[in-house]
Amino acid sequence: MEASTLYPSKCILAEGPLWHKERKSCFWVDIESGVLYEYDWHTKEIRTWSFDYKVTLVIQALQNEVILGLNRSIARFDLDTEKLEWLVDLENALPNNRCNDGACDRKGRIWVGTMAMDTQEGAGALYCIEKDGHLQKKLENVTISNGLAWSLDNRTFYYIDTPTQKVQSFLFNEESGEIVFDKIAVQIPAEMGSPDGMAIDEEGMLWIAHYGGFGVYRWDPNTGKLLEKITVPAPNITSCAFAGENLDMLIITTASENMSEVDLKQYPGSGNIFYVKTKVKGTLPFRCTW
């Protein structure tokens, strides 16, 4: 299958796609430009908000609020009033670091990873923010903290540190939020690009954006086998999310960063948002409930 253009956003580094069921819209961010996008699924209208920070992730919260990663901090943002409420600072002592990908678990905890802006090896970490605002470091010595997902039975946590070329599987305790390393679920060959963001479908399979791999690949985390590829007419695929009222559309974000003029001429869709109808339905993301 090949993806089609949803919106020609021309982002530098589009990331964090999110389907918002109540608003019937999808969100994403352009990290480097500090812009949050909302695309109305029915009217196809675009709304944007600009920030004086690198905006790295967007998570659905209560009412018309979303959770954003802004530089090294997490904030709550009201889409109607545009009020910004700072919640937690992650790594203020590390000015070269920033937030990267993030998600909520079923209990409403916020999980967010960090990385060095020069991608220094081992400079990042993975954090969990409890409902009372307590911040706990879950993993350290991370280089580019990326995709996060939970299995359908909520007993397994999947995690990507991009340069490792792996999806790690952890035993997950829903009540405590504790994670314990279990195994390498997927090993991705370098010639397929590097794993970035991911989503999980209703069959428990992982859809992984391959940066440098021209597509989103569907992997079985139980066997480690590749099942399917969605081809995208851009090399650097950053993330994906199931969208639409039936959750049978996959929205895909891409990047144009660090591409030469020759490359951009060859792949003019780089930085745009793509979509494809899938044979299997996805799952709704968990939301922040505090």
Side-chain angles (χ1 to χ4, degrees):
M1 286 191 289
E2 184 161 346
S4 303
T5 302
L6 179 72
Y7 183 74
S9 55
K10 295 294 182 184
C11 292
I12 300 172
L13 180 53
E15 264 283 11
L18 167 73
W19 170 251
H20 195 299
K21 178 182 176 182
E22 288 73 21
R23 293 172 72 95
K24 293 181 174 55
S25 64
C26 52
F27 289 85
W28 68 88
V29 301
D30 185 355
I31 294 177
E32 296 300 324
S33 298
V35 177
L36 171 66
Y37 289 81
E38 181 180 17
Y39 176 90
D40 188 295
W41 201 251
H42 294 296
T43 68
K44 298 179 171 51
E45 293 178 348
I46 280 282
R47 188 179 177 190
T48 62
W49 297 265
S50 296
F51 300 87
D52 294 326
Y53 311 93
K54 292 181 186 297
V55 53
T56 73
L57 62 91
V58 53
I59 296 170
Q60 184 176 348
L62 299 175
Q63 285 81 47
N64 286 315
E65 296 177 336
V66 292
I67 302 297
L68 301 177
L70 301 172
N71 287 359
R72 292 175 298 283
S73 301
I74 299 297
R76 181 183 288 113
F77 181 65
D78 190 306
L79 298 164
D80 294 333
T81 66
E82 300 190 357
K83 176 187 176 184
L84 194 63
E85 177 189 356
W86 297 97
L87 300 177
V88 180
D89 295 327
L90 298 183
E91 296 176 335
N92 278 347
L94 300 173
N96 188 45
N97 279 19
R98 65 163 173 81
C99 296
N100 204 38
D101 208 349
C104 269
D105 65 22
R106 189 156 62 184
K107 290 291 187 180
R109 305 179 190 93
I110 301 170
W111 295 69
V112 57
T114 61
M115 60 176 284
M117 286 183 276
D118 60 1
T119 66
Q120 178 185 341
E121 185 177 352
L126 176 68
Y127 296 90
C128 177
I129 307 166
E130 299 282 352
K131 292 185 178 183
D132 60 3
H134 175 68
L135 180 68
Q136 184 178 5
K137 184 183 288 187
K138 294 293 186 177
L139 297 172
E140 53 187 7
N141 298 319
V142 171
T143 301
I144 303 178
S145 186
N146 256 315
L148 311 91
W150 286 265
S151 62
L152 302 184
D153 64 8
N154 219 34
R155 295 179 179 178
T156 302
F157 170 65
Y158 300 111
Y159 175 70
I160 292 172
D161 178 8
T162 292
T164 68
Q165 297 291 129
K166 301 170 183 174
V167 179
Q168 298 180 67
S169 174
F170 294 82
L171 303 178
F172 178 67
N173 185 311
E174 180 179 343
E175 294 305 315
S176 67
E178 180 184 11
I179 58 173
V180 177
F181 178 76
D182 181 31
K183 65 178 182 178
I184 301 301
V186 179
Q187 178 75 52
I188 295 171
E191 59 269 22
M192 290 186 183
S194 298
D196 201 318
M198 66 177 163
I200 190 166
D201 66 30
E202 66 176 3
E203 296 179 353
M205 302 297 106
L206 299 175
W207 296 70
I208 302 175
H210 287 212
Y211 195 96
F214 290 89
V216 174
Y217 296 65
R218 186 182 187 228
W219 294 88
D220 185 337
N222 303 303
T223 65
K225 291 183 179 179
L226 176 64
L227 304 175
E228 187 178 353
K229 177 187 177 182
I230 305 296
T231 301
V232 181
N236 298 326
I237 317 306
T238 57
S239 194
C240 59
F242 285 94
E245 292 175 63
N246 294 320
L247 292 176
D248 59 354
M249 306 294 288
L250 192 73
I251 52 174
I252 302 164
T253 53
T254 68
S256 61
E257 62 173 358
N258 304 322
M259 293 179 67
S260 68
E261 289 185 15
V262 173
D263 288 340
L264 289 171
K265 190 172 182 180
Q266 185 175 4
Y267 305 110
S270 296
N272 290 347
I273 312 304
F274 295 85
Y275 76 99
V276 67
K277 184 174 176 59
T278 56
K279 298 173 185 176
V280 63
K281 294 181 180 181
T283 59
L284 275 176
F286 301 122
R287 66 183 71 186
C288 178
T289 56
W290 51 280

